[in-house]
Amino acid sequence: MGKKIKKEVEPPPKDVFDPLIIESKKAATVVLMLNSPEEEILAKACEAIYKFALKGEENKTTLLELGAVEPLTKLLTHEDKIVRRNATMIFGILASNNDVKKLLRELDVMNSVIAQLAPEEEVVIHEFASLCLANMSAEYTSKVQIFEHGGLEPLIRLLSSPDPDVKKNSMECIYNLVQELNDLHIEALAVIANCLEDMDTVVQIQQTGGLKKLLSFAENSTIPDIQKNAAKAITKAAYDPENRKLFHEQEVEKCLVALLGSENDGTKIAASQAISAMCENSGSKDFFNNQGIPQLIQLLKSDNEEVWEAAALALAHLTTCNPANANAAAEADGIDPLINVLSSKRDGAIANAATVLTNMAMQEPLRLNIQNHDIMHAIISPLRSANTVVQSKAALAVTATACDVEARTELRNSGGLEPLVELLRSKNDEVRKHASWAVMVCAGDELTANELCRLGALDILEEVNVSGTRKNKFSEAAYNKLLNNNLSLKYSQTGYLSSSNIINDGFYDYGRINPGTKLLPLKELCLQEPSDLRAVLLINSKSYVSPPSSMEDKSDVGYGRSISSSSSLRRSSKEKNKKNSYHFSAGFGSPIEDKSEPASGRNTVLSKSATKEKGWRKSKGKKEEEKVKEEEEVMVVPKFVGEGSSEKEWCPPSDPDFSMYVYEVTKSILPITNIKEQIEDLAKYVAEKMGGKIPKEKLPDFSWELHISELKFQLKSNVIPIGHVKKGIFYHRALLFKALADRIGIGCSLVRGEYGRAWNEVMLQNDSRKGVIGGLPAPEMYVIDLMFHPGGLMKLRSREADLYRFL
């Protein structure tokens, strides 16, 4: 073999740069390479930057600061496929950085990125280009750019790609594009709703037809949030009367009723609130009578208490001053769910439900229906609420529903009076007013009034009425109403009993007491030892002594029973139809008591054929009185019934003499048909029983004080039954006259004066003025003389001057 000959290497041309291999450890150096014209360097630089960016967010920020983003955007359209691929991969990673996204939007690279989704491109390019768009689509502005550059169509096409990452990125991007589009409408409606609070904006929206667009969204959209925000916008707009008119013309009511049937609770709530706002329009209110109220009642059965609150609010607006809608709510079986809402944990729901029940209770048939659903028990919890709105509405509900004895009894037995009385102490004016109103209504029967007094209502109201800032007409009326059921206290405090204040057994005149002073109960006064204090006069006809056998017409008066039953003669005609009931009208009635009470009123049960009798048959009366005195004398000192047994019941002192007085005047004076003759004869009768006629000049010699002292000693008590007083002056006689007049139906008042004075006033027609055009003249006030000229009547013209002359 021959020897190999070595081939010589040719030297490179002199105009060519020799290859240089550089190892760079600085990102800034590589970023500079992105401006190189050499494809190989660009490809390797992009590869290095991609690896660097993958390492974390800080590196992405570093590349942004080094200015790598702008030269990279140019490489997205490079002719070399490898350079273009590597640049696309970098943007897929970098686009997750918010600052990079912002810069990319400014550089307007969306078209270049979307171009990488072309079918002829490699799968890797599809993967990272779709990743870049998915990251960018999280921003509203980028979404708009993607749509404007036609990015949705190629993304949809890539859903059929065999590569799972391409599918995932494309799906995420499409989801972002579609879902946020929905939020644009939702948020836009929310913005419009807020703008509608400004009247200038309202005018602009009206002029541009924006209100009709709101209705369109509410009617046509199937997206709950859009429906909800559209209904909210309608609610805001409906506060303006012109908008309500426009909505009514566009039949917004039908749309709102339809929204009540939505499966979304938020939409139901918004629709209910819109109905509340539209209720200011009378036409809308009438529309919801047949369509709307039944659906709202159904919402009260929801599991969501926020839905209860909104539905009850709408019902409250619909039923206010609208009996037809109140009836519609009842016909839709709304009473039971409304009462159930009273046990809600949401204060707004409770207050709204109480308002609806109050509106419904203004009609007697509905009130009776509500009472049958145990309202008196259900209202107790709201009365104990710490929320003043709930307290106020609950008290008003009591006012509307406790209008008869049965309801008040149920409230009392359920323990509802205690929290009601506590509300009288409230510092909130509305709560205090409504609580006072409720107490005034509840004081309509004696048992409830007594329980209210026992719980301290009278003391609290007295304290409230002393304050110029806390008192109100209702607190004053409630106080007077309670006093009317405690006439002993009323007379001691006010010194006045009207003709409608009927004195019954157990009444006692303690004398004048100052405001804030406690009046001791009768039992405690009876058990006290006699003292030099003013004698307490007691009215008590309860006696178990049978009338004498010689008396005629024994069946007329139950003398063997409690003689006090004769007091029903006067009250029967007045209370037969009233039955202590309050009938609510649209204004709930007036809190002011009728002060123009008739001072004289004939008993309507008297027969016109009754025999007219004058006088009281003195001789017969005396014989009968003597016979009674011959009977076994009943103890008049305080005693206990059932002594010797384990159970002892205290009874007030009996008064057989007063019982006889009642019997005698009932037999002799009651049948008289002329009211003036009745008054005159009764005055003479009272004067005779109290020591007879006393001339003015002999008044100082009338030793009534000694007589009273002897009675105290004899009875061993300061409490003296009125029948025991045989020497009485003004205040003894006036009290006896009032007590007897009340038993036989003569309307008169009892007025306390100064220095032991007291008198009775009656209203009488002036016979001399008969024939006045327009009917009988107005009755005039007279004072009855029981001392100087018993039976005399003096017309009151100037009260102070006339009384001074008279007394």
Side-chain angles (χ1 to χ4, degrees):
M1 293 178 64
K3 188 178 180 181
K4 277 188 175 182
I5 299 173
K6 188 177 181 181
K7 188 178 180 180
E8 295 182 0
V9 180
E10 296 182 2
K14 293 181 179 180
D15 58 345
V16 175
F17 187 80
D18 293 336
L20 177 65
I21 298 174
I22 300 175
E23 185 178 342
S24 177
K25 294 185 179 180
K26 297 292 184 181
T29 303
V30 179
V31 169
L32 293 174
M33 293 179 181
L34 295 176
N35 295 313
S36 171
E38 297 185 48
E39 297 172 354
E40 187 178 356
I41 291 177
L42 291 174
K44 290 184 178 181
C46 287
E47 186 179 351
I49 290 174
Y50 170 75
K51 293 178 180 179
F52 181 71
L54 277 176
K55 294 180 179 180
E57 287 296 318
E58 292 183 359
N59 292 352
K60 297 174 186 178
T61 303
T62 300
L63 291 172
L64 177 64
E65 294 171 350
L66 292 174
V69 175
E70 189 170 359
L72 282 171
T73 59
K74 298 176 182 179
L75 300 182
L76 289 174
T77 57
H78 199 276
E79 295 178 356
D80 186 78
K81 186 175 291 188
I82 297 176
V83 173
R84 191 166 64 248
R85 181 194 66 190
N86 291 352
T88 303
M89 291 171 65
I90 293 173
F91 279 117
I93 301 300
L94 287 180
S96 64
N97 183 280
N98 290 330
D99 293 328
V100 172
K101 280 191 282 192
K102 181 179 179 182
L103 181 57
L104 290 176
R105 287 196 300 270
E106 294 174 358
L107 295 175
D108 195 16
V109 300
M110 203 62 70
N111 193 42
S112 300
V113 177
I114 293 173
Q116 307 308 311
L117 302 179
E120 62 272 13
E121 294 292 349
E122 297 178 7
V123 173
V124 175
I125 292 179
H126 286 168
E127 177 187 346
F128 285 95
S130 60
L131 178 60
C132 177
L133 291 175
N135 287 327
M136 295 289 290
S137 64
E139 302 285 346
Y140 285 115
T141 307
S142 298
K143 293 176 192 175
V144 176
Q145 290 180 349
I146 293 173
F147 273 110
E148 289 178 349
H149 291 89
L152 185 58
E153 184 178 351
L155 284 168
I156 294 174
R157 186 174 63 249
L158 289 179
L159 292 177
S160 61
S161 171
D163 187 85
D165 289 329
V166 174
K167 285 183 178 180
K168 170 185 171 298
N169 295 337
S170 300
M171 181 65 74
E172 182 179 350
C173 185
I174 293 171
Y175 175 82
N176 288 340
L177 292 175
V178 177
Q179 182 69 25
E180 296 302 325
L181 275 180
N182 287 339
D183 279 352
L184 282 177
H185 296 106
I186 295 168
E187 297 300 329
L189 287 169
V191 171
I192 291 173
N194 291 332
C195 290
L196 287 170
E197 294 180 357
D198 177 69
M199 288 309 301
D200 293 334
T201 307
V202 170
V203 173
Q204 291 180 7
I205 293 177
Q206 284 176 338
Q207 294 173 348
T208 57
L211 296 180
K212 292 183 180 179
K213 290 182 179 179
L214 281 179
L215 288 179
S216 176
F217 272 109
E219 292 173 348
N220 302 324
S221 176
T222 58
I223 300 173
D225 284 343
I226 290 180
Q227 293 175 329
K228 177 182 68 176
N229 284 357
K232 286 183 177 180
I234 291 172
T235 303
K236 296 284 182 68
Y239 289 128
D240 178 69
E242 291 299 321
N243 292 346
R244 287 197 298 270
K245 182 180 178 182
L246 175 62
F247 283 146
H248 180 59
E249 292 172 354
Q250 298 294 322
E251 296 183 327
V252 69
E253 298 88 356
K254 292 182 179 179
C255 170
L256 295 176
V257 171
L259 293 181
L260 291 177
S262 170
E263 295 182 359
N264 181 272
D265 285 347
T267 303
K268 294 175 184 176
I269 292 169
S272 299
Q273 292 169 342
I275 290 175
S276 299
M278 286 300 299
C279 283
E280 293 296 323
N281 182 284
S282 59
S284 297
K285 210 168 188 178
D286 293 338
F287 176 91
F288 291 121
N289 180 273
N290 297 320
Q291 302 180 53
I293 289 180
Q295 290 85 339
L296 289 167
I297 295 296
Q298 288 301 313
L299 294 185
L300 296 179
K301 302 174 184 178
S302 167
D303 295 332
N304 188 334
E305 294 195 5
E306 192 174 352
V307 175
W308 294 2
E309 181 175 351
L313 177 63
L315 288 168
H317 283 93
L318 285 168
T319 56
T320 298
C321 300
N322 196 308
N325 284 349
N327 276 320
E331 290 171 0
D333 296 327
I335 294 177
D336 196 45
L338 281 167
I339 291 180
N340 288 337
V341 174
L342 293 179
S343 61
S344 170
K345 296 179 181 178
R346 294 184 66 87
D347 291 333
I350 300 172
N352 295 337
T355 300
V356 181
L357 291 167
T358 300
N359 294 339
M360 296 171 71
M362 292 171 67
Q363 301 178 65
E364 185 173 5
L366 298 186
R367 182 172 70 248
L368 296 176
N369 198 352
I370 291 171
Q371 291 170 352
N372 291 336
H373 283 76
D374 202 20
I375 178 64
M376 290 307 168
H377 184 267
I379 202 65
I380 295 176
S381 178
L383 287 173
R384 298 184 186 276
S385 170
N387 183 285
T388 55
V389 176
V390 174
Q391 292 172 350
S392 174
K393 300 300 182 183
L396 200 57
V398 172
T399 304
T401 53
C403 297
D404 51 64
V405 176
E406 292 78 9
R408 292 192 287 267
T409 300
E410 184 179 350
L411 181 67
R412 184 177 71 245
N413 293 339
S414 300
L417 296 181
E418 184 177 357
L420 182 62
V421 170
E422 284 302 310
L423 294 184
L424 295 173
R425 304 179 188 271
S426 174
K427 296 180 180 179
N428 182 281
D429 291 344
E430 198 75 5
V431 173
R432 198 167 56 252
K433 180 177 74 173
H434 289 167
S436 300
W437 195 351
V439 167
M440 182 187 75
V441 171
C442 290
D445 65 271
E446 187 174 355
L447 288 177
T448 306
N450 290 337
E451 180 65 10
L452 287 168
C453 292
R454 188 189 69 80
L455 294 171
L458 201 61
D459 297 334
I460 298 172
L461 286 168
E462 182 179 5
E463 179 185 342
V464 168
N465 291 333
V466 170
S467 170
T469 57
R470 298 176 63 200
K471 72 175 182 179
N472 54 70
K473 291 181 179 179
F474 294 95
S475 65
E476 292 173 338
Y479 182 75
N480 290 330
K481 193 64 177 291
L482 287 174
L483 280 182
N484 286 338
N485 283 278
N486 192 339
L487 295 184
S488 299
L489 177 61
K490 180 177 183 178
Y491 189 51
S492 291
Q493 285 194 346
T494 67
Y496 179 81
L497 295 181
S498 71
S499 59
S500 63
N501 296 141
I502 307 301
I503 292 180
N504 291 317
D505 292 330
F507 174 90
Y508 59 100
D509 177 14
Y510 179 82
R512 189 191 308 275
I513 61 174
N514 296 322
T517 304
K518 302 292 183 182
L519 177 64
L520 295 177
L522 178 62
K523 178 180 178 180
E524 189 170 340
L525 291 171
C526 287
L527 296 178
Q528 289 180 348
E529 294 294 326
S531 66
D532 57 355
L533 295 176
R534 178 189 183 279
V536 179
L537 301 178
L538 172 64
I539 301 296
N540 185 22
S541 66
K542 289 182 179 177
S543 173
Y544 300 93
V545 180
S546 300
S549 59
S550 61
M551 292 184 179
E552 298 178 1
D553 299 331
K554 298 176 185 178
S555 60
D556 288 351
V557 179
Y559 190 70
R561 301 187 306 273
S562 172
I563 300 298
S564 64
S565 62
S566 63
S567 66
S568 63
L569 288 171
R570 170 175 174 79
R571 299 172 64 182
S572 60
S573 61
K574 175 181 287 188
E575 299 183 355
K576 188 173 185 180
N577 297 323
K578 185 176 179 182
K579 292 183 180 179
N580 283 326
S581 294
Y582 291 82
H583 297 286
F584 268 45
S585 62
F588 290 100
S590 170
I592 306 302
E593 287 186 322
D594 184 5
K595 294 186 179 179
S596 60
E597 298 163 324
S600 64
R602 295 287 295 139
N603 193 329
T604 57
V605 301
L606 296 181
S607 170
K608 292 185 178 179
S609 62
T611 305
K612 180 177 180 181
E613 296 185 18
K614 293 185 178 180
W616 51 86
R617 303 176 183 175
K618 294 183 181 178
S619 60
K620 185 176 182 179
K622 288 182 179 179
K623 290 179 182 179
E624 291 170 345
E625 188 175 352
E626 289 172 1
K627 265 197 170 186
V628 172
K629 289 183 178 179
E630 289 174 4
E631 299 286 341
E632 183 179 352
E633 202 168 8
V634 181
M635 287 188 67
V636 295
V637 295
K639 63 179 181 179
F640 289 95
V641 175
E643 286 192 22
S645 63
S646 59
E647 184 178 352
K648 295 183 179 181
E649 180 184 356
W650 178 86
C651 290
S654 62
D655 191 350
D657 286 352
F658 179 67
S659 299
M660 178 58 68
Y661 296 168
V662 173
Y663 178 79
E664 289 179 350
V665 299
T666 302
K667 293 293 293 180
S668 61
I669 299 178
L670 177 61
I672 300 175
T673 57
N674 184 284
I675 182 65
K676 184 177 179 183
E677 292 180 15
Q678 275 190 322
I679 293 171
E680 291 172 347
D681 286 1
L682 181 61
K684 293 174 183 176
Y685 180 91
V686 168
E688 179 185 339
K689 298 302 180 184
M690 287 284 182
K693 174 182 176 180
I694 309 296
K696 279 190 178 182
E697 61 275 10
K698 293 186 178 180
L699 184 60
D701 301 329
F702 186 58
S703 57
W704 64 273
E705 296 98 333
L706 177 61
H707 173 61
I708 297 298
S709 298
E710 290 173 347
L711 288 175
K712 286 184 181 181
F713 178 78
Q714 176 186 347
L715 301 174
K716 296 182 174 57
S717 172
N718 271 0
V719 178
I720 300 177
I722 192 69
H724 284 60
V725 179
K726 307 304 178 184
K727 287 187 176 182
I729 57 166
F730 299 98
Y731 73 90
H732 303 103
R733 300 184 182 202
L735 176 59
L736 179 59
F737 184 92
K738 168 69 172 169
L740 293 175
D742 285 346
R743 304 297 170 111
I744 61 174
I746 297 177
C748 73
S749 61
L750 175 63
V751 187
R752 189 195 307 278
E754 300 291 340
Y755 309 110
R757 260 56 171 178
W759 60 91
N760 305 103
E761 297 175 355
V762 293
M763 296 289 286
L764 291 174
Q765 296 281 353
N766 189 337
D767 294 339
S768 63
R769 295 180 60 195
K770 287 184 179 178
V772 175
I773 297 176
L776 292 174
E780 296 177 312
M781 183 73 74
Y782 290 82
V783 176
I784 306 168
D785 189 345
L786 300 172
M787 286 288 294
F788 309 131
H789 302 284
L793 299 174
M794 185 193 71
K795 186 190 302 183
L796 278 180
R797 296 182 179 87
S798 172
R799 175 176 292 271
E800 292 185 3
D802 288 342
L803 287 175
Y804 178 79
R805 178 166 45 87
F806 183 76
L807 299 174

